Amino acid sequence: MQTYVNEIFLGLILIGVIYLAVRDSLRRKLDSNKDLYQKMNENQKQLIQEITELKIAIRQYQQTIKAENEQWRIDRHELVASIKATEKTMSGQNLLLHDRYKEIFDLHNQGLSVDQIAMKLEKGSGEVAFILQLAAQESI
């Protein structure tokens, strides 16, 4: 009977040792899983922070682009207005040039040469040639 009791005690001890070994192994596994979950949680927090920073940067870029686009529209409007004003001034200058030197243009249209026009109007031939060249450039 004592042999049976010893065998039962030995069996119980063996079961206890196996239980403790399995429990220790599971605890280590759980601890390593816990560390893994903590690292994953930290990585997730870091990713969320980086995504938030990226969203802020994107909003800032969008605002900058909108502001630059608005400034471009204003500049474009001013440029168009400036071009129109310059065109008016240029057409006015053309009229002024043609009014001021009407005699030269009339004589030139009649077929007179630069020298003939210069003698008739008592001007230098270089001056007459220059005025005719200017008028030719403006008509281009």
Side-chain angles (χ1 to χ4, degrees):
M1 178 154 164
Q2 201 175 17
T3 331
Y4 290 119
V5 173
N6 284 340
E7 286 179 6
I8 291 175
F9 279 133
L10 280 175
L12 288 173
I13 291 172
L14 182 61
I15 291 173
V17 168
I18 292 173
Y19 171 76
L20 290 175
V22 169
R23 189 177 81 174
D24 187 48
S25 173
L26 287 175
R27 183 177 291 147
R28 285 184 190 161
K29 204 178 234 186
L30 287 175
D31 287 344
S32 68
N33 284 346
K34 186 178 178 182
D35 290 341
L36 180 64
Y37 290 135
Q38 284 177 344
K39 287 179 183 178
M40 287 174 57
N41 196 12
E42 289 171 9
N43 286 342
Q44 186 179 14
K45 286 178 183 178
Q46 186 177 2
L47 284 172
I48 289 171
Q49 182 180 359
E50 289 176 1
I51 289 171
T52 303
E53 290 171 0
L54 284 172
K55 285 180 179 179
I56 291 169
I58 288 171
R59 283 189 201 115
Q60 289 173 344
Y61 286 131
Q62 286 174 335
Q63 290 172 350
T64 302
I65 288 170
K66 284 180 183 177
E68 287 177 357
N69 191 23
E70 187 61 33
Q71 184 62 44
W72 180 82
R73 285 181 183 164
I74 292 169
D75 291 346
R76 182 176 176 263
H77 181 70
E78 290 174 358
L79 183 62
V80 167
S82 173
I83 288 171
K84 287 180 181 177
T86 303
E87 286 174 349
K88 282 184 179 179
T89 304
M90 291 297 286
S91 67
Q93 286 178 351
N94 273 348
L95 290 175
L96 182 66
L97 182 70
H98 283 285
D99 287 346
R100 186 170 181 190
Y101 299 108
K102 185 174 180 359
E103 294 175 311
I104 293 175
F105 296 123
D106 287 343
L107 294 173
H108 181 68
N109 288 337
Q110 291 173 13
L112 272 67
S113 69
V114 172
D115 291 329
Q116 291 171 335
I117 295 171
M119 282 179 34
K120 189 166 188 162
L121 298 177
E122 297 178 356
K123 296 186 181 272
S125 59
E127 179 183 354
V128 173
F130 178 71
I131 292 167
L132 291 173
Q133 285 175 352
L134 257 165
Q137 285 179 350
E138 288 180 0
S139 65
I140 293 176

